[in-house]
Amino acid sequence: MDYAVELNGITKKYGNLTAVDNLNLKIPPGSIFGFLGPNGSGKTTTIRMMCGVLTPTSGSGKVLGYDILKNPEEIKKKIGYMSQKFSLYEDLTVEENLDFYGEIYSIPPKEFKERKDIVYRMAGLSGREKTLAGNLSGGWKQRLALGCALIHKPSLLFLDEPTAGVDPVSRRIFWKVIREMTKNNITVIVSTHYMDEAQTCDLVGFIFKGKLLDFGDPNEIVKKNNAQNLEDVFIKYVEEMTGEHHGVRPLDIFFNG
Amino acid sequence: MRIRRILSIIKKEFIQIKRDKPSLGIAIMMPLMMMFLFGYAVKVEVDHVPTAVWDESQTLQSREFIRSFQNSNYFDVVTYVSNRGEMQALMDTGEVKAALHIPPDFSRNILKGEPAQTEMLVDGSDPTVARTVFSSGVLIAEHFSRNISLKTMLKRGSGTITLPVELKPRVEYNPSFKTEIFTIPGLIGLVMQNITVMLTAFSLVRERERGTIEQLIVTPIKPAELMIGKLIPYIFIALIDFTLSLSIGMFWFHVPVKGSLALLFPLALVFIIVALSIGILISTVARTQLQAMQMTMLFLLPSIILSGFIFPLDAMPEIVRLISYMIPLTYFLRIIRGIVVKGVGFDILYSDTLALAFFGLVLFTLAIVRFRKKLE
Ligand SMILES: Nc1ncnc2c1ncn2[C@@H]1O[C@H](COP(=O)(O)OP(=O)(O)O)[C@@H](O)[C@H]1O
Ligand SMILES: [Mg+2]
């Protein structure tokens, strides 16, 4: 397995809309890949195809060495996925959610207790075990989702905008966990809006209107474009794509598509 | 297939059911309400039929004749009229459902030992009621005349009492023709079907609506594990519902179970699994709870008419009957009526049970095959 993820010309169409357009991507194992792009650019769609829960219209790909079309169930055993929208059970407590997913992933009972302790600590969930997930605030919900995604020691972790709209403490926890993962050679794919976060990734990819505009080491991308930082680079790309030039607050345009 | 995964789904479902008090309340209350409501609705009252009497004879014998009608409990003499026009008017307005006419020569003929003609009018708007009223009237009249001929013969003192050839009908299973004996078991089957299909139809669609399905399908769980885990908790609820419905039938509507309860429950369980499988199948197609509701209705409505709940299968045209055989409720109605009304055993009901088991297997397999661990 040369790459943790390898996508070849992956395309997803919804009727006339091409959500993901002929995307190629190679992510080496053990790296943090920051997936960047404004709302509606196709990040979630791409991540779902990599997880094997969405069938691409065309193209092929491999995740952890398994074909995403032929072997999605093998992939599912080894990945952790945190969706953009909270999708755990709000009427279950923190602990019940973790227990449930622990059992679904068939973690041996002996290991499970230890695993749970680690996850509670990593995701900073201690003290909230008996709280209903629905009663948690946004940041805590995200931490629980992270905990459930980690419970079975995945080799590849997908985080779809984990830090969107969460408190600074939770945000710090997320990045601490992400860096800890790579120490154990776990690959992390994280989509985000925040350019300061992206700057610290090993690799970034910028997607806009379903097309991957650039891919590589964030520092090299900045240097190559003679820019100050990633933010400037991506504003430039969007303007090139849309043929527009906005003198004011580039960030607003970037995020509002 | 891993038992532990199935158990974890079962546990999760039970916790969710327990915490969702309104839904649990509905699941338990709905069969009770349906049983009471429909129980009275399907009970065709053929006793105490309001009756008008036009007695032109006005004699001891005629009054005795009227009394025998009154005493039968089938008829309530509510009014006396003095001509055919009045009688007709009362029938037209629906104030009376039957009218009895005794001609002037009634007593005279009886005393002479000649046939005495009487006349009975029955409102035929509802054929079921009319048929029962009609046959009750005939029975009462026959009984009355037999008594008379007996008395006269005894009075004459002739040694031999010879009655004309007599056909004495004996009705099996439900000798008093109580309609509820037939309708209540059917109702229990129908109520069970309606509740059970909805239970599972909603359970999977809810996961889709709330988005929790996304986290679930990204795990290695197998469709069969998920489906079995989802089915089992609702089997328990459905069994509670069945026990409640049956109790109402037995103790409130006084419909005794002639056969074995120990046979009825396992066979009801088979039907419950079939109905739950239909629900799960619906939930693999429906995207929203509203759609699930509509599909459930689409399935339930024909089953009310075609399962033999209202109209007997024997009376249906061949093609319609073929459709009836595609409806699982048809078989369960035969089973529950067989056990409750006739008290028959498994030796009679095994083919219906096999049919149900077959439906269950096919529908459940179909649901598993149809369920995709994919988003759209
Ligand atoms: N199920 C769907 N049906 C139709 N269009 C969709 C669906 N999912 C996503 N899209 C569209 O595909 C595009 C990409 O969406 P998405 O991958 O969610 O973007 P991002 O995650 O980058 O915000 C958007 O225009 C979105 O409206
Ligand atoms: Mg998204």
Side-chain angles (χ1 to χ4, degrees):
Chain A
M1 186 181 79
D2 304 327
Y3 296 101
V5 172
E6 191 180 339
L7 299 182
N8 300 309
I10 258 306
T11 300
K12 180 72 189 179
K13 288 186 179 161
Y14 290 111
N16 289 327
L17 176 92
T18 307
V20 175
D21 194 356
N22 194 23
L23 198 103
N24 296 292
L25 201 62
K26 285 192 173 98
I27 300 164
S31 53
I32 304 173
F33 171 63
F35 203 13
L36 316 175
N39 280 332
S41 55
K43 303 184 295 295
T44 301
T45 308
T46 309
I47 290 175
R48 283 174 171 171
M49 288 193 282
M50 292 192 266
C51 292
V53 294
L54 198 61
T55 312
T57 312
S58 62
S60 65
K62 275 186 174 180
V63 170
L64 299 170
Y66 296 107
D67 192 304
I68 57 168
L69 292 168
K70 294 188 195 113
N71 248 333
E73 294 308 305
E74 286 304 318
I75 295 173
K76 285 171 186 176
K77 283 181 194 165
K78 294 191 170 145
I79 59 167
Y81 170 63
M82 184 185 150
S83 64
Q84 183 175 353
K85 186 185 160 289
F86 185 71
S87 36
L88 297 173
Y89 298 101
E90 303 219 337
D91 45 356
L92 258 54
T93 65
V94 168
E95 187 169 21
E96 285 162 351
N97 268 298
L98 275 174
D99 285 349
F100 175 69
Y101 278 102
E103 276 160 16
I104 293 292
Y105 281 110
S106 309
I107 303 169
K110 265 180 263 159
E111 250 175 72
F112 188 48
K113 212 188 138 1
E114 189 194 340
R115 222 22 239 164
K116 232 161 69 173
D117 286 341
I118 294 172
V119 164
Y120 274 129
R121 206 162 351 101
M122 279 175 92
L125 284 166
S126 307
R128 296 288 178 100
E129 292 88 342
K130 305 283 181 232
T131 310
L132 286 182
N135 293 341
L136 295 173
S137 64
W140 282 87
K141 271 189 186 164
Q142 295 293 81
R143 287 195 229 169
L144 172 59
L146 176 69
C148 285
L150 290 177
I151 193 78
H152 57 294
K153 266 198 218 168
S155 326
L156 171 58
L157 183 62
F158 290 97
L159 305 171
D160 196 357
E161 300 204 22
T163 55
V166 307
D167 56 286
V169 179
S170 300
R171 220 174 126 175
R172 207 173 59 223
I173 289 176
F174 268 95
W175 281 96
K176 217 178 105 202
V177 169
I178 291 171
R179 298 219 173 78
E180 242 171 81
M181 304 304 291
T182 50
K183 277 187 216 149
N184 300 316
N185 207 34
I186 292 167
T187 316
V188 181
I189 295 180
V190 52
S191 73
T192 181
H193 267 163
Y194 301 104
M195 290 304 139
D196 54 331
E197 292 179 349
Q199 200 84 46
T200 65
C201 294
D202 301 323
L203 287 167
V204 294
F206 180 63
I207 186 172
F208 186 61
K209 293 192 171 168
K211 286 197 172 69
L212 193 70
L213 299 186
D214 205 351
F215 173 82
D217 182 312
N219 297 317
E220 275 172 26
I221 290 179
V222 172
K223 220 182 285 168
K224 178 174 80 181
N225 284 283
N226 284 323
Q228 295 276 311
N229 49 37
L230 271 183
E231 200 171 303
D232 292 346
V233 176
F234 292 137
I235 298 306
K236 199 181 119 198
Y237 285 155
V238 172
E239 282 173 358
E240 278 169 14
M241 278 288 286
T242 55
E244 286 172 53
H245 182 79
H246 306 271
V248 289
R249 288 286 306 150
L251 204 61
D252 293 342
I253 301 144
F254 176 71
F255 285 130
N256 298 329
Chain B
M1 191 128 81
R2 291 182 198 227
I3 301 294
R4 193 156 158 240
R5 282 207 196 116
I6 297 176
L7 287 175
S8 70
I9 298 275
I10 294 174
K11 197 169 119 197
K12 178 213 118 201
E13 291 290 324
F14 266 128
I15 296 174
Q16 289 186 307
I17 292 167
K18 195 181 75 191
R19 296 209 177 126
D20 186 3
K21 293 267 154 39
S23 298
L24 182 61
I26 290 172
I28 303 291
M29 290 309 291
M30 203 132 92
L32 294 182
M33 270 170 45
M34 284 202 205
M35 280 304 294
F36 281 122
L37 218 70
F38 300 152
Y40 281 109
V42 297
K43 211 174 148 193
V44 190
E45 291 283 357
V46 282
D47 44 2
H48 299 285
V49 175
T51 309
V53 173
W54 176 22
D55 183 4
E56 288 191 283
S57 170
Q58 301 279 359
T59 54
L60 194 68
Q61 284 81 8
S62 74
R63 275 190 289 276
E64 217 172 289
F65 187 57
I66 294 164
R67 204 173 311 120
S68 63
F69 269 77
Q70 182 81 41
N71 290 347
S72 73
N73 280 335
Y74 283 114
F75 299 90
D76 263 355
V77 179
V78 289
T79 182
Y80 287 86
V81 297
S82 51
N83 58 58
R84 185 168 294 277
E86 275 181 65
M87 201 161 82
Q88 193 61 52
L90 285 169
M91 293 284 284
D92 287 347
T93 56
E95 264 169 81
V96 299
K97 294 266 184 268
L100 180 65
H101 173 214
I102 304 169
D105 55 0
F106 178 75
S107 271
R108 214 178 313 137
N109 285 338
I110 285 180
L111 295 173
K112 271 197 272 176
E114 276 169 24
Q117 284 285 339
T118 56
E119 181 188 21
M120 179 140 209
L121 267 72
V122 178
D123 182 346
S125 318
D126 184 336
T128 326
V129 178
R131 214 172 296 133
T132 321
V133 171
F134 176 72
S135 49
S136 317
V138 170
L139 273 172
I140 293 164
E142 268 177 14
H143 188 73
F144 183 80
S145 41
R146 198 157 47 238
N147 276 353
I148 290 179
S149 37
L150 244 144
K151 269 186 218 156
T152 32
M153 274 185 251
L154 284 174
K155 231 183 268 169
R156 278 189 207 147
S158 53
T160 48
I161 303 169
T162 47
L163 284 176
V165 178
E166 189 184 10
L167 174 77
K168 200 173 166 212
R170 197 167 72 95
V171 177
E172 293 264 25
Y173 310 130
N174 183 9
S176 50
F177 280 125
K178 276 208 212 146
T179 51
E180 59 265 33
I181 299 275
F182 182 69
T183 52
I184 293 291
L187 184 62
I188 294 172
L190 187 71
V191 166
M192 281 315 294
Q193 174 189 259
N194 294 5
I195 304 282
T196 325
V197 170
M198 270 186 246
L199 284 178
T200 38
F202 284 172
S203 120
L204 203 63
V205 175
R206 218 179 291 136
E207 298 239 16
R208 214 183 292 277
E209 272 193 348
R210 293 182 185 168
T212 52
I213 198 84
E214 187 173 352
Q215 194 69 53
L216 205 51
I217 59 172
V218 86
T219 72
I221 193 164
K222 297 199 169 57
E225 294 163 344
L226 178 62
M227 298 301 193
I228 295 171
K230 285 235 166 231
L231 195 81
I232 289 173
Y234 292 105
I235 290 181
F236 282 93
I237 296 192
L239 275 176
I240 295 174
D241 285 344
F242 180 68
T243 312
L244 288 173
S245 310
L246 188 66
S247 307
I248 292 176
M250 287 170 74
F251 303 116
W252 187 270
F253 291 108
H254 303 291
V255 175
V257 177
K258 245 185 129 181
S260 150
L261 280 176
L263 177 65
L264 183 55
F265 270 89
L267 298 194
L269 180 69
V270 177
F271 177 64
I272 283 168
I273 292 173
V274 175
L276 288 172
S277 304
I278 295 170
I280 285 208
L281 190 58
I282 286 175
S283 72
T284 62
V285 187
R287 287 285 158 270
T288 61
Q289 296 198 48
L290 182 68
Q291 276 181 18
M293 181 67 127
Q294 287 165 340
M295 286 183 205
T296 307
M297 285 303 149
L298 206 69
F299 168 80
L300 292 183
L301 288 180
S303 77
I304 296 174
I305 309 286
L306 298 178
S307 63
F309 172 64
I310 301 178
F311 310 113
L313 248 57
D314 303 328
M316 291 176 191
E318 194 92 21
I319 298 169
V320 181
R321 210 180 319 161
L322 280 178
I323 303 173
S324 296
Y325 287 131
M326 307 289 286
I327 299 174
L329 183 60
T330 305
Y331 300 92
F332 185 59
L333 287 189
R334 286 217 289 243
I335 289 174
I336 190 168
R337 279 172 177 158
I339 294 177
V340 173
V341 185
K342 299 187 189 173
V344 297
F346 191 66
D347 50 328
I348 306 281
L349 299 172
Y350 74 93
S351 60
D352 292 315
T353 311
L354 271 179
L356 274 186
F358 173 75
F359 271 110
L361 204 68
V362 169
L363 290 168
F364 193 68
T365 311
L366 211 61
I368 290 171
V369 172
R370 259 211 58 94
F371 180 75
R372 293 259 164 275
K373 283 179 73 185
K374 294 278 181 197
L375 297 166
E376 267 128 54

